[in-house]
């Protein structure tokens, strides 16, 4: 059942599980769908535009101010829709208000002191100046009819600024903090149509194309509403929407690292063997190898990303086994034909060959793919906002930190602890009367490029589950377990 009570002001760090379509804090009258004048033509607004590389565009219509109460919206199927039954807009004029009451509703929000913000994903704009200009013209026409101060943030590509990733929000936080204005999450909200609703969530409704708007708000701890709930007071029952089949916050933290556990993970020091990995790209293979195998110091490491060709990998395995060493092959090895030459080399030198089968499915691997490519820029964006909010803090590690919240501060304490292996963990806690900030160091790892979705589809198509009949002496199943130092960041939404 949807929560119809007025939200109470809470701490900056709201529970990430809060995702019901609660009524906005400000009571608003419903507007008739027959309201006149909602599509009256007006001259395009003069918007100050700034393009940030190939990533995003910012527009400022009618000199918007920084404000602690932010009413933020998606654009398509939230504020506007195409003017007809076709799916995609034909030009900058092909739109009407999503419901005729939208302009009056936004006017009321502005009158109540809300800062209006649009945050929208727009594919195909990166590198296409013509499409960028057309999108700008559309907003100029929209804002010309509204005549309201408004911030406009347009994501152009798949990077940390594309919803559900939260880079654009952190940019907004940082921008407002330049005016010493902190956004109050409890008094702000985001409205969007990509809410994960199912077919038939209301009579005649079809399922949402995605759930990225709901995920975006959830990662921020920001109250979320659908346009139907916000503008028309039509709530979606909780059992009629979903985050999808994969939810990182529900990923088990107590699973065994491997199974069966009745046999050891590794051979005895000095023994020769071959370990062949099998699993999706971004399923945790390389991290597992580094932490649990290579750290022992007696396994030779073979990886095609490093050696570039399979022939070089086979040659390295041959040389390692010939020298009676233990060897681990960190490749995806999806099918019988790919694995067979490695197994043949183990038989040639009469050493056992085991398969480590990584249990990450396509959804988990895709999540990891986005995480390892984009969590560092997100951390940097959040840290920039935090550093402005904590300007008086004597913290020197902001460029390598991740935030759990952002807030203004009055007193700050900093502590540095060193572990037995020399790594340092730095925490900064800043306190006001009712808000706290905790900052923790992020591990230093090489930046990884986001892999194309085609890579995962190709693996899935080629995959054949390993069996003992291929010649393996054992098949160990390896579970993906995020390390504690990255878990909070890993549990955010990335796609």
């Amino acid at each position: 059942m949807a929560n119809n009570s007025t939200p109470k002001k809470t701490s900056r760090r709201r529970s990430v599980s809060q995702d019901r379509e609660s009524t906005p804090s400000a009571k608003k009258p419903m507007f008739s769908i027959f309201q006149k004048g909602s599509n009256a033509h007006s001259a395009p607004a003069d918007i100050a535009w700034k393009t940030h590389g190939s990533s995003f565009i910012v527009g400022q219509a009618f000199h918007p101010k920084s404000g602690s109460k932010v009413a933020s919206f998606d654009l398509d199927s939230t504020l506007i829709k195409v003017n007809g039954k076709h799916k995609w807009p034909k030009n900058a004029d092909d739109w009407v208000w999503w419901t005729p009451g939208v302009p009056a509703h936004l006017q009321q929000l502005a009158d109540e002191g809300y800062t209006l913000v649009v945050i929208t994903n727009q594919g195909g704009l990166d590198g296409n100046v013509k499409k960028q200009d057309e999108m700008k013209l559309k907003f100029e026409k929209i804002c010309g009819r509204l005549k309201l101060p408004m911030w406009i943030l347009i994501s152009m590509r798949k990077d940390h600024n594309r919803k559900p990733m939260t880079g654009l929000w952190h940019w907004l936080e940082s921008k407002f903090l330049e005016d010493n204005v902190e956004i109050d999450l409890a008094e702000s909200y985001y409205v969007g149509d990509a809410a994960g609703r199912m077919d038939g969530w209301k009579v005649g409704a079809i399922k949402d194309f995605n759930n990225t708007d709901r995920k975006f708000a959830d990662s921020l701890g920001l109250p979320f509403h659908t346009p139907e709930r916000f503008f028309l007071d039509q709530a979606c029952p909780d059992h009629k929407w979903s985050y999808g089949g994969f939810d990182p916050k529900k990923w088990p933290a107590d699973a065994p690292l491997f199974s069966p556990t009745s046999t050891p993970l590794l051979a005895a020091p000095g023994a020769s063997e071959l370990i062949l990995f099998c699993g999706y790209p971004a399923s945790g293979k390389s991290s597992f190898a580094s932490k649990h195998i290579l750290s022992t110091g007696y396994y030779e490491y073979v990886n095609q990303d490093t050696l570039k060709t399979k022939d070089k990998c086979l040659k390295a395995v041959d040389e390692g086994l010939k020298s009676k060493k233990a060897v681990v092959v960190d490749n995806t090895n999806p099918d019988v034909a790919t694995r067979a030459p490695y197994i043949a080399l183990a038989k040639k030198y009469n050493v056992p060959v085991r398969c480590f089968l990584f249990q990450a499915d396509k959804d988990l691997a895709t999540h990891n793919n986005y995480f390892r490519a984009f969590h560092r820029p997100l951390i940097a964006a959040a840290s920039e906002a935090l550093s402005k909010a904590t300007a008086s803090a004597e913290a020197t590690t902001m460029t390598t930190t991740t935030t759990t919240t952002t807030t203004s501060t009055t007193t700050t304490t900093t502590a540095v602890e060193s572990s037995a292996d020399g790594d340092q963990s730095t925490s900064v806690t800043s306190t006001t009367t009712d808000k706290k900030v905790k900052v923790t160091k992020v591990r230093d790892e090489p930046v990884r490029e986001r892999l194309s979705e085609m890579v995962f589809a190709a693996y899935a198509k080629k995959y054949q589950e390993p069996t003992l009949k291929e010649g393996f002496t054992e098949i160990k199943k390896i579970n993906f377990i995020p390390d504690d130092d990255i878990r909070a960041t890993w549990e955010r939404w990335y796609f």
Side-chain angles (χ1 to χ4, degrees):
M1 179 179 297
N3 179 6
N4 293 318
S5 61
T6 301
K8 297 180 180 178
K9 186 172 182 179
T10 59
S11 65
R12 292 275 308 194
R13 180 62 178 173
R14 298 171 64 90
S15 169
V16 292
S17 64
Q18 180 182 358
D19 44 41
R20 296 186 177 185
E21 297 172 25
S22 55
T23 302
S25 57
K27 297 282 187 178
K28 302 177 294 300
M30 294 298 103
F31 297 92
S32 169
I33 62 172
F34 301 107
Q35 182 173 340
K36 296 180 180 180
S38 61
N39 285 314
H41 288 285
S42 299
D46 185 11
I47 298 178
W49 294 106
K50 183 176 181 180
T51 301
H52 294 255
S54 62
S55 182
F56 66 103
I57 301 171
V58 173
Q60 298 180 58
F62 297 103
H63 308 288
K65 304 299 183 183
S66 303
S68 62
K69 295 194 306 181
V70 172
S72 55
F73 300 84
D74 187 26
L75 177 65
D76 300 305
S77 299
T78 299
L79 296 181
I80 62 171
K81 60 184 178 181
V82 294
N83 189 12
K85 295 184 178 180
H86 51 287
K87 186 173 182 181
W88 306 110
K90 300 175 182 178
N91 51 49
D93 293 303
D94 186 13
W95 63 274
V96 294
W97 299 117
W98 182 79
T99 185
V102 167
H105 211 149
L106 297 182
Q107 178 67 63
Q108 181 173 332
L109 294 174
D111 293 343
E112 292 172 352
Y114 281 89
T115 296
L116 301 179
V117 177
V118 174
I119 302 176
T120 176
N121 293 345
Q122 296 292 333
L125 269 61
D126 177 18
N128 192 322
V129 175
K130 182 178 179 180
K131 286 189 175 182
Q132 291 177 26
D133 289 342
E134 187 173 42
M135 180 57 60
K136 291 176 183 178
L137 179 59
K138 176 183 282 190
F139 269 107
E140 288 163 7
K141 290 174 179 288
I142 291 169
C143 292
R145 295 185 188 180
L146 288 172
K147 293 183 173 59
L148 294 172
M150 179 180 289
W151 292 87
I152 301 162
L153 283 70
I154 306 170
S155 167
M156 295 191 289
R157 61 181 299 184
K158 286 187 176 180
D159 64 5
H160 64 287
N161 290 315
R162 186 174 183 85
K163 294 178 300 181
M165 289 178 279
T166 53
L168 287 182
W169 183 270
H170 299 313
W171 182 91
L172 191 72
E173 284 182 313
S174 184
K175 187 69 175 177
F176 284 15
L177 285 168
E178 292 177 3
D179 297 329
N180 294 317
V181 175
E182 177 195 359
I183 298 175
D184 188 332
L185 291 181
E187 293 295 327
S188 303
Y189 46 79
Y190 187 74
V191 182
D193 65 303
R197 291 168 293 183
M198 306 170 188
D199 275 325
W201 70 266
K202 69 174 183 176
V203 176
I206 61 173
K207 69 177 181 179
D208 292 335
F209 76 99
N210 212 321
N211 49 25
T212 49
D213 289 334
R214 192 187 291 273
K215 288 177 176 177
F216 171 77
D218 183 69
S219 283
L220 290 166
L222 188 66
F224 173 78
H225 315 291
T226 63
E228 287 84 357
R229 184 71 179 97
F230 191 81
F231 292 114
L232 303 177
D233 202 26
Q234 297 175 357
C236 173
D238 284 349
H239 68 282
K240 288 288 188 178
W241 67 265
S242 170
Y243 284 121
F246 173 75
D247 185 342
K249 291 181 291 299
K250 295 180 180 179
W251 194 256
D254 55 354
L257 181 63
F258 61 89
S259 64
T261 57
S262 56
T263 57
L265 178 66
L266 303 178
S272 179
E273 74 159 341
L274 176 62
I275 296 176
L276 201 62
F277 283 2
C278 176
Y280 270 102
S283 60
K285 300 185 300 299
S286 297
S287 296
F288 181 91
S290 176
K291 184 174 182 179
H292 300 287
I293 300 178
L294 303 183
S295 58
T296 65
Y298 58 86
Y299 276 81
E300 296 290 312
Y301 181 67
V302 175
N303 174 257
Q304 192 162 320
D305 289 342
T306 302
L307 297 178
K308 304 305 180 185
T309 69
K310 183 178 179 180
D311 287 343
K312 289 183 178 179
C313 291
L314 289 169
K315 182 180 179 181
V317 171
D318 189 293
E319 292 173 352
L321 297 182
K322 185 177 181 179
S323 301
K324 301 185 183 303
K325 295 180 179 179
V327 181
V328 57
V329 179
D330 174 16
N331 296 333
T332 59
N333 298 314
D335 59 353
V336 173
T338 303
R339 297 187 289 261
Y342 294 104
I343 297 172
L345 285 175
K347 290 181 178 179
K348 174 182 176 181
Y349 292 105
N350 195 28
V351 299
V353 53
R354 296 188 295 153
C355 176
F356 279 18
L357 180 57
F358 287 76
Q359 297 298 286
D361 61 12
K362 184 178 179 181
D363 285 339
L364 172 58
T366 301
H367 176 84
N368 287 344
N369 179 38
Y370 277 77
F371 168 77
R372 68 188 191 183
F374 297 130
H375 81 280
R376 288 175 185 80
L378 280 173
I379 288 165
S383 296
E384 181 181 358
L386 178 64
S387 65
K388 291 180 180 179
T390 57
S392 61
E394 296 179 358
T396 60
T397 59
M398 287 299 173
T399 58
T400 58
T401 60
T402 181
T403 67
T404 55
T405 63
T406 57
T407 182
S408 59
T409 63
T410 54
T411 60
T412 302
T413 59
T414 304
V416 179
E417 298 178 356
S418 297
S419 62
D421 56 7
D423 291 337
Q424 286 190 334
S425 174
T426 303
S427 65
V428 180
T429 303
S430 305
T431 308
T432 60
T433 55
D434 59 353
K435 302 174 186 177
K436 292 184 178 180
V437 170
K438 184 179 180 181
V439 184
T440 54
K441 183 178 178 180
V442 174
R443 63 176 61 173
D444 184 18
E445 292 181 344
V447 175
R448 305 288 291 273
E449 294 292 328
R450 181 184 68 87
L451 300 175
S452 167
E453 282 78 1
M454 294 176 60
V455 173
F456 298 89
Y459 178 89
K461 184 177 181 179
K462 199 173 182 181
Y463 177 70
Q464 295 174 313
E465 184 172 352
T467 66
L468 295 176
K469 292 181 180 180
E470 294 178 55
F472 291 115
T473 54
E474 182 186 37
I475 297 175
K476 276 199 180 296
K477 295 181 178 180
I478 309 298
N479 291 314
F480 180 82
I481 303 174
D483 291 333
D484 289 341
D485 65 328
I486 64 169
R487 179 114 199 176
T489 310
W490 182 85
E491 286 181 349
R492 294 166 66 90
W493 297 106
Y494 292 88
F495 76 101

